[in-house]
Amino acid sequence: MHSGNVESATMVVIGTNRDELAGRWRDALGSGFQTGTVANLDLLRQWLAARPAGLLLLHHRLPGLNGRDGVVQLHKAHPNLRIILFSDRPGDDEGLTFLMAGIRGYCNTYMAQPLLAQAVRTVLDGEVWVGWSLMQRLIRAAGAGAVPGASGNGLEGLTARELDTARLVAGGASNKVIASELGITERTVKAHLGSIFQKTGTKDRLQLALLVNGQPGRTVH
């Protein structure tokens, strides 16, 4: 096991038996975190039982994990532990399965280090980190019911054009599609989204979609 020297930093546990991955992920985290590395599920359980951790970077092939069932057990035993799962060959079906099991981020094992650092910050801020296509699936799933009107669901302060933008986001539309639908530029779409996020207290498209579609809570658990 490896530990950093910053006592007040967030503890991040790295779950992998591949030394090159552990080193790569530690490098991406930088010096602002304490880290510990475990090479199998039994060691991970021992680590988590002995000390609190804020974040788990978990390789999907950690020995003993047993796929979704192992993640479910970890989440049940440590509900406040945020988990980012790394897959060598990520796919939307696998990502959705693990999101339903309790992870907060789903990433390619070999994602660029700056992007990994951004994913870590996002998840520690209480948000969900997933790829765009999986995000669209989650948004569409959230929107399976009827889209409510603007009244009574946190959208009251939006202009008519902002409300149109929010509803299109809730339907899974990209900025390019929204721009085409509304006859505006993508730059204007981005400006609308910035205003919408500020007015509604949401931080990303998924939170906004959940709000528009009347789902409880503001993140996917």
Side-chain angles (χ1 to χ4, degrees), residues 54-73:
L55 180 67
L56 169 62
L57 305 184
L58 180 64
H59 190 244
H60 70 138
R61 295 193 181 276
L62 179 74
L65 182 62
N66 193 27
R68 179 186 181 278
D69 290 343
V71 172
V72 168
Q73 292 171 11

PDB file of all heavy atoms in Angstrom, residues 54-73:
ATOM      1  N   GLY A  54     -12.627   8.902   0.942  1.00  0.00           N
ATOM      2  CA  GLY A  54     -13.629   9.691   0.242  1.00  0.00           C
ATOM      3  C   GLY A  54     -13.909   9.215  -1.162  1.00  0.00           C
ATOM      4  O   GLY A  54     -14.980   9.464  -1.708  1.00  0.00           O
ATOM      5  N   LEU A  55     -12.929   8.518  -1.756  1.00  0.00           N
ATOM      6  CA  LEU A  55     -13.051   8.156  -3.158  1.00  0.00           C
ATOM      7  C   LEU A  55     -12.322   6.852  -3.426  1.00  0.00           C
ATOM      8  O   LEU A  55     -11.243   6.607  -2.878  1.00  0.00           O
ATOM      9  CB  LEU A  55     -12.455   9.262  -4.040  1.00  0.00           C
ATOM     10  CG  LEU A  55     -12.487   9.057  -5.556  1.00  0.00           C
ATOM     11  CD1 LEU A  55     -13.917   9.085  -6.076  1.00  0.00           C
ATOM     12  CD2 LEU A  55     -11.659  10.138  -6.255  1.00  0.00           C
ATOM     13  N   LEU A  56     -12.930   6.025  -4.277  1.00  0.00           N
ATOM     14  CA  LEU A  56     -12.317   4.774  -4.715  1.00  0.00           C
ATOM     15  C   LEU A  56     -12.182   4.794  -6.229  1.00  0.00           C
ATOM     16  O   LEU A  56     -13.173   4.947  -6.943  1.00  0.00           O
ATOM     17  CB  LEU A  56     -13.177   3.580  -4.282  1.00  0.00           C
ATOM     18  CG  LEU A  56     -12.820   2.208  -4.876  1.00  0.00           C
ATOM     19  CD1 LEU A  56     -11.411   1.783  -4.467  1.00  0.00           C
ATOM     20  CD2 LEU A  56     -13.852   1.161  -4.445  1.00  0.00           C
ATOM     21  N   LEU A  57     -10.948   4.661  -6.715  1.00  0.00           N
ATOM     22  CA  LEU A  57     -10.696   4.468  -8.139  1.00  0.00           C
ATOM     23  C   LEU A  57     -10.561   2.966  -8.350  1.00  0.00           C
ATOM     24  O   LEU A  57      -9.582   2.360  -7.915  1.00  0.00           O
ATOM     25  CB  LEU A  57      -9.420   5.199  -8.574  1.00  0.00           C
ATOM     26  CG  LEU A  57      -9.346   6.696  -8.267  1.00  0.00           C
ATOM     27  CD1 LEU A  57      -8.068   7.291  -8.858  1.00  0.00           C
ATOM     28  CD2 LEU A  57     -10.571   7.434  -8.786  1.00  0.00           C
ATOM     29  N   LEU A  58     -11.535   2.375  -9.008  1.00  0.00           N
ATOM     30  CA  LEU A  58     -11.672   0.917  -9.034  1.00  0.00           C
ATOM     31  C   LEU A  58     -11.557   0.375 -10.450  1.00  0.00           C
ATOM     32  O   LEU A  58     -12.351   0.735 -11.330  1.00  0.00           O
ATOM     33  CB  LEU A  58     -13.034   0.541  -8.439  1.00  0.00           C
ATOM     34  CG  LEU A  58     -13.395  -0.939  -8.372  1.00  0.00           C
ATOM     35  CD1 LEU A  58     -12.442  -1.697  -7.450  1.00  0.00           C
ATOM     36  CD2 LEU A  58     -14.839  -1.098  -7.894  1.00  0.00           C
ATOM     37  N   HIS A  59     -10.584  -0.505 -10.663  1.00  0.00           N
ATOM     38  CA  HIS A  59     -10.474  -1.171 -11.958  1.00  0.00           C
ATOM     39  C   HIS A  59     -11.470  -2.319 -12.016  1.00  0.00           C
ATOM     40  O   HIS A  59     -11.641  -3.055 -11.041  1.00  0.00           O
ATOM     41  CB  HIS A  59      -9.054  -1.689 -12.180  1.00  0.00           C
ATOM     42  CG  HIS A  59      -8.816  -2.175 -13.569  1.00  0.00           C
ATOM     43  ND1 HIS A  59      -8.517  -3.483 -13.865  1.00  0.00           N
ATOM     44  CD2 HIS A  59      -8.859  -1.521 -14.770  1.00  0.00           C
ATOM     45  CE1 HIS A  59      -8.373  -3.619 -15.176  1.00  0.00           C
ATOM     46  NE2 HIS A  59      -8.570  -2.451 -15.748  1.00  0.00           N
ATOM     47  N   HIS A  60     -12.125  -2.466 -13.158  1.00  0.00           N
ATOM     48  CA  HIS A  60     -13.199  -3.462 -13.250  1.00  0.00           C
ATOM     49  C   HIS A  60     -12.691  -4.896 -13.149  1.00  0.00           C
ATOM     50  O   HIS A  60     -13.474  -5.813 -12.904  1.00  0.00           O
ATOM     51  CB  HIS A  60     -13.999  -3.266 -14.547  1.00  0.00           C
ATOM     52  CG  HIS A  60     -13.259  -3.634 -15.799  1.00  0.00           C
ATOM     53  ND1 HIS A  60     -13.837  -4.313 -16.842  1.00  0.00           N
ATOM     54  CD2 HIS A  60     -11.971  -3.407 -16.184  1.00  0.00           C
ATOM     55  CE1 HIS A  60     -12.958  -4.491 -17.814  1.00  0.00           C
ATOM     56  NE2 HIS A  60     -11.825  -3.949 -17.439  1.00  0.00           N
ATOM     57  N   ARG A  61     -11.383  -5.088 -13.298  1.00  0.00           N
ATOM     58  CA  ARG A  61     -10.816  -6.427 -13.195  1.00  0.00           C
ATOM     59  C   ARG A  61     -10.037  -6.628 -11.894  1.00  0.00           C
ATOM     60  O   ARG A  61      -9.166  -7.499 -11.818  1.00  0.00           O
ATOM     61  CB  ARG A  61      -9.925  -6.723 -14.401  1.00  0.00           C
ATOM     62  CG  ARG A  61     -10.696  -6.782 -15.717  1.00  0.00           C
ATOM     63  CD  ARG A  61      -9.857  -7.380 -16.832  1.00  0.00           C
ATOM     64  NE  ARG A  61     -10.583  -7.420 -18.089  1.00  0.00           N
ATOM     65  CZ  ARG A  61     -11.423  -8.382 -18.433  1.00  0.00           C
ATOM     66  NH1 ARG A  61     -11.659  -9.380 -17.591  1.00  0.00           N
ATOM     67  NH2 ARG A  61     -12.041  -8.350 -19.601  1.00  0.00           N
ATOM     68  N   LEU A  62     -10.361  -5.855 -10.872  1.00  0.00           N
ATOM     69  CA  LEU A  62      -9.733  -6.084  -9.572  1.00  0.00           C
ATOM     70  C   LEU A  62     -10.026  -7.516  -9.124  1.00  0.00           C
ATOM     71  O   LEU A  62     -11.193  -7.929  -9.084  1.00  0.00           O
ATOM     72  CB  LEU A  62     -10.289  -5.102  -8.537  1.00  0.00           C
ATOM     73  CG  LEU A  62      -9.718  -5.248  -7.122  1.00  0.00           C
ATOM     74  CD1 LEU A  62      -8.288  -4.711  -7.072  1.00  0.00           C
ATOM     75  CD2 LEU A  62     -10.597  -4.514  -6.110  1.00  0.00           C
ATOM     76  N   PRO A  63      -8.998  -8.308  -8.803  1.00  0.00           N
ATOM     77  CA  PRO A  63      -9.242  -9.697  -8.386  1.00  0.00           C
ATOM     78  C   PRO A  63     -10.225  -9.789  -7.223  1.00  0.00           C
ATOM     79  O   PRO A  63     -10.100  -9.078  -6.228  1.00  0.00           O
ATOM     80  CB  PRO A  63      -7.842 -10.171  -7.969  1.00  0.00           C
ATOM     81  CG  PRO A  63      -6.909  -9.374  -8.817  1.00  0.00           C
ATOM     82  CD  PRO A  63      -7.547  -8.011  -8.906  1.00  0.00           C
ATOM     83  N   GLY A  64     -11.235 -10.651  -7.399  1.00  0.00           N
ATOM     84  CA  GLY A  64     -12.237 -10.862  -6.368  1.00  0.00           C
ATOM     85  C   GLY A  64     -13.456  -9.981  -6.472  1.00  0.00           C
ATOM     86  O   GLY A  64     -14.438 -10.193  -5.749  1.00  0.00           O
ATOM     87  N   LEU A  65     -13.442  -8.997  -7.370  1.00  0.00           N
ATOM     88  CA  LEU A  65     -14.545  -8.032  -7.421  1.00  0.00           C
ATOM     89  C   LEU A  65     -15.860  -8.676  -7.837  1.00  0.00           C
ATOM     90  O   LEU A  65     -16.919  -8.332  -7.310  1.00  0.00           O
ATOM     91  CB  LEU A  65     -14.205  -6.884  -8.376  1.00  0.00           C
ATOM     92  CG  LEU A  65     -15.257  -5.777  -8.485  1.00  0.00           C
ATOM     93  CD1 LEU A  65     -15.459  -5.083  -7.140  1.00  0.00           C
ATOM     94  CD2 LEU A  65     -14.867  -4.759  -9.557  1.00  0.00           C
ATOM     95  N   ASN A  66     -15.828  -9.570  -8.806  1.00  0.00           N
ATOM     96  CA  ASN A  66     -17.036 -10.257  -9.269  1.00  0.00           C
ATOM     97  C   ASN A  66     -18.057  -9.289  -9.858  1.00  0.00           C
ATOM     98  O   ASN A  66     -19.261  -9.383  -9.611  1.00  0.00           O
ATOM     99  CB  ASN A  66     -17.676 -11.073  -8.137  1.00  0.00           C
ATOM    100  CG  ASN A  66     -18.744 -12.038  -8.642  1.00  0.00           C
ATOM    101  OD1 ASN A  66     -18.694 -12.483  -9.787  1.00  0.00           O
ATOM    102  ND2 ASN A  66     -19.718 -12.344  -7.796  1.00  0.00           N
ATOM    103  N   GLY A  67     -17.558  -8.343 -10.637  1.00  0.00           N
ATOM    104  CA  GLY A  67     -18.434  -7.467 -11.405  1.00  0.00           C
ATOM    105  C   GLY A  67     -19.401  -6.649 -10.575  1.00  0.00           C
ATOM    106  O   GLY A  67     -19.072  -6.128  -9.512  1.00  0.00           O
ATOM    107  N   ARG A  68     -20.627  -6.556 -11.065  1.00  0.00           N
ATOM    108  CA  ARG A  68     -21.650  -5.719 -10.454  1.00  0.00           C
ATOM    109  C   ARG A  68     -21.924  -6.106  -9.006  1.00  0.00           C
ATOM    110  O   ARG A  68     -22.097  -5.234  -8.146  1.00  0.00           O
ATOM    111  CB  ARG A  68     -22.947  -5.809 -11.260  1.00  0.00           C
ATOM    112  CG  ARG A  68     -24.087  -4.987 -10.683  1.00  0.00           C
ATOM    113  CD  ARG A  68     -25.388  -5.226 -11.428  1.00  0.00           C
ATOM    114  NE  ARG A  68     -26.459  -4.416 -10.882  1.00  0.00           N
ATOM    115  CZ  ARG A  68     -27.171  -4.734  -9.806  1.00  0.00           C
ATOM    116  NH1 ARG A  68     -26.905  -5.864  -9.153  1.00  0.00           N
ATOM    117  NH2 ARG A  68     -28.139  -3.937  -9.374  1.00  0.00           N
ATOM    118  N   ASP A  69     -21.949  -7.396  -8.709  1.00  0.00           N
ATOM    119  CA  ASP A  69     -22.279  -7.834  -7.352  1.00  0.00           C
ATOM    120  C   ASP A  69     -21.277  -7.295  -6.338  1.00  0.00           C
ATOM    121  O   ASP A  69     -21.650  -6.877  -5.236  1.00  0.00           O
ATOM    122  CB  ASP A  69     -22.318  -9.363  -7.280  1.00  0.00           C
ATOM    123  CG  ASP A  69     -23.501  -9.953  -8.032  1.00  0.00           C
ATOM    124  OD1 ASP A  69     -24.447  -9.194  -8.322  1.00  0.00           O
ATOM    125  OD2 ASP A  69     -23.470 -11.156  -8.334  1.00  0.00           O
ATOM    126  N   GLY A  70     -20.001  -7.294  -6.719  1.00  0.00           N
ATOM    127  CA  GLY A  70     -18.991  -6.767  -5.815  1.00  0.00           C
ATOM    128  C   GLY A  70     -19.160  -5.281  -5.564  1.00  0.00           C
ATOM    129  O   GLY A  70     -18.976  -4.800  -4.442  1.00  0.00           O
ATOM    130  N   VAL A  71     -19.522  -4.544  -6.615  1.00  0.00           N
ATOM    131  CA  VAL A  71     -19.741  -3.106  -6.462  1.00  0.00           C
ATOM    132  C   VAL A  71     -20.957  -2.838  -5.583  1.00  0.00           C
ATOM    133  O   VAL A  71     -20.942  -1.944  -4.731  1.00  0.00           O
ATOM    134  CB  VAL A  71     -19.910  -2.440  -7.846  1.00  0.00           C
ATOM    135  CG1 VAL A  71     -20.323  -0.978  -7.691  1.00  0.00           C
ATOM    136  CG2 VAL A  71     -18.616  -2.539  -8.641  1.00  0.00           C
ATOM    137  N   VAL A  72     -22.018  -3.608  -5.779  1.00  0.00           N
ATOM    138  CA  VAL A  72     -23.213  -3.460  -4.941  1.00  0.00           C
ATOM    139  C   VAL A  72     -22.864  -3.664  -3.470  1.00  0.00           C
ATOM    140  O   VAL A  72     -23.293  -2.897  -2.597  1.00  0.00           O
ATOM    141  CB  VAL A  72     -24.309  -4.456  -5.374  1.00  0.00           C
ATOM    142  CG1 VAL A  72     -25.429  -4.507  -4.342  1.00  0.00           C
ATOM    143  CG2 VAL A  72     -24.872  -4.065  -6.732  1.00  0.00           C
ATOM    144  N   GLN A  73     -22.078  -4.682  -3.178  1.00  0.00           N
ATOM    145  CA  GLN A  73     -21.695  -4.959  -1.793  1.00  0.00           C
ATOM    146  C   GLN A  73     -20.846  -3.838  -1.215  1.00  0.00           C
ATOM    147  O   GLN A  73     -21.027  -3.439  -0.057  1.00  0.00           O
ATOM    148  CB  GLN A  73     -20.952  -6.288  -1.724  1.00  0.00           C
ATOM    149  CG  GLN A  73     -21.829  -7.497  -2.029  1.00  0.00           C
ATOM    150  CD  GLN A  73     -21.030  -8.780  -2.178  1.00  0.00           C
ATOM    151  OE1 GLN A  73     -19.838  -8.825  -1.866  1.00  0.00           O
ATOM    152  NE2 GLN A  73     -21.678  -9.832  -2.663  1.00  0.00           N
TER     153      GLN A  73
END
